[in-house]
Amino acid sequence: MERARLDLLSGGFAKVSFLAPEDTKNAVADEIEALIDTRGVRRDMSFEETGGSPRRMRNVRHQDIRAHGSVIPAVYQHAHLRAALSRIADEPVLECPYEPEQYVITELRQSGDTHGWHWDDYAFAVVWVVACPPVEHGGFVQSVPRTHWNKADPQLHRQFIDRPIHSYELSAGDVYLMRTDTTLHRVYPLTQGRRLIINMGYASRADLARSISHETMDTLWDADGAQQTA
Ligand SMILES: O=C(O)CCC(=O)C(=O)O
Ligand SMILES: [Fe+2]
């Protein structure tokens, strides 16, 4: 716990795989596999608010997970999990008030698939890794901590020049916590293999006190706004 707390504080990223037992991870993974099979929607987009970075992926949105899943909604709300996350974050980790960002499944499975550079609208993300290719095929996470998202002028290249980019290797069974509002991050494009995760988004107290706009996430996770192909 202490190691995770220090990692999150210093680099905006902490592996927290120890927070969930194997049987919980397996139940989450089984539900994710069933949902991506039946409810996955392909997206291929880019966003001005994040400097034109691409999103090439398949997703299952919150509303489909909530309607057809049971394990994931229960894990998301689990009081002990949030208490442990709050200890690591040194502040309350709160349920996201904007439901589409509470949880989203993302699968990358074609060459060039990526969740491109972005910040999230809310302070914390817990990402459960169900499948991930070896690093030589991409799929690892990169981040630039201690950065600020100006939606009107994100200046991604300036962030890369001003600060080092960190890279993190992941494999199936890993769970990580990220400070996603002040950590620019992406998933390195895949060349082969398959990567499957669920991202659970949580809010800080400060998030609840300010008004947050949802341009990129509305377009990504909203059926109406999204450009969808089979
Ligand atoms: O796939 C990952 O590891 C990160 C996902 C992510 O950044 C997001 O869903 O906002
Ligand atoms: Fe993100």
Side-chain angles (χ1 to χ4, degrees):
M1 290 287 286
E2 182 59 10
R3 171 68 192 272
R5 191 182 72 81
L6 293 172
D7 286 350
L8 191 74
L9 190 65
S10 60
F13 176 102
K15 285 242 178 112
V16 295
S17 312
F18 58 86
L19 286 183
E22 279 314 296
D23 56 348
T24 303
K25 288 182 189 173
N26 290 339
V28 168
D30 289 348
E31 192 161 282
I32 290 173
E33 290 282 11
L35 285 163
I36 193 71
D37 223 32
T38 53
R39 310 274 157 190
V41 176
R42 178 93 200 155
R43 296 167 208 281
D44 195 337
M45 293 179 267
S46 63
F47 290 101
E48 286 310 309
E49 294 86 349
T50 56
S53 60
R55 310 287 187 281
R56 285 197 272 275
M57 52 175 71
R58 282 174 85 225
N59 297 113
V60 184
R61 292 167 306 159
H62 170 270
Q63 66 183 67
D64 288 327
I65 299 170
R66 200 182 47 185
H68 304 285
S70 58
V71 178
I72 293 161
V75 166
Y76 180 79
Q77 297 181 337
H78 201 280
H80 289 162
L81 176 61
R82 275 208 296 117
L85 294 168
S86 301
R87 283 216 299 284
I88 294 167
D90 257 342
E91 64 172 275
V93 171
L94 306 167
E95 285 185 29
C96 185
Y98 179 67
E99 290 195 344
E101 290 198 44
Q102 288 185 348
Y103 32 84
V104 176
I105 294 167
T106 297
E107 182 189 45
L108 310 179
R109 64 174 193 187
Q110 295 179 6
S111 179
D113 274 4
T114 181
H115 196 152
W117 289 109
H118 68 284
W119 294 263
D120 294 353
D121 287 324
Y122 290 89
F124 303 107
V126 178
V127 175
W128 303 61
V129 181
V130 176
C132 193
V135 282
E136 62 264 35
H137 300 149
F140 53 93
V141 166
Q142 296 193 300
S143 70
V144 187
R146 297 171 197 275
T147 49
H148 168 74
W149 187 9
N150 176 357
K151 291 186 179 182
D153 187 15
Q155 298 227 14
L156 292 204
H157 295 177
R158 180 57 53 201
Q159 321 275 359
F160 304 145
I161 298 293
D162 287 350
R163 296 181 179 279
I165 300 174
H166 302 257
S167 301
Y168 299 99
E169 184 170 7
L170 297 165
S171 52
D174 278 342
V175 182
Y176 73 82
L177 172 61
M178 184 179 272
R179 179 83 207 198
T180 36
D181 57 344
T182 55
T183 305
L184 176 60
H185 57 283
R186 77 153 173 179
V187 179
Y188 197 93
L190 254 67
T191 52
Q192 279 181 47
R194 172 175 183 254
R195 187 179 189 279
L196 181 64
I197 61 104
I198 187 163
N199 181 347
M200 299 189 179
Y202 293 92
S204 64
R205 268 204 194 118
D207 288 338
L208 301 192
R210 69 197 164 97
S211 91
I212 291 179
S213 64
H214 307 109
E215 301 87 353
T216 61
M217 295 300 164
D218 269 351
T219 311
L220 261 183
W221 314 140
D222 218 27
D224 304 334
Q227 227 183 1
Q228 298 175 8
T229 52

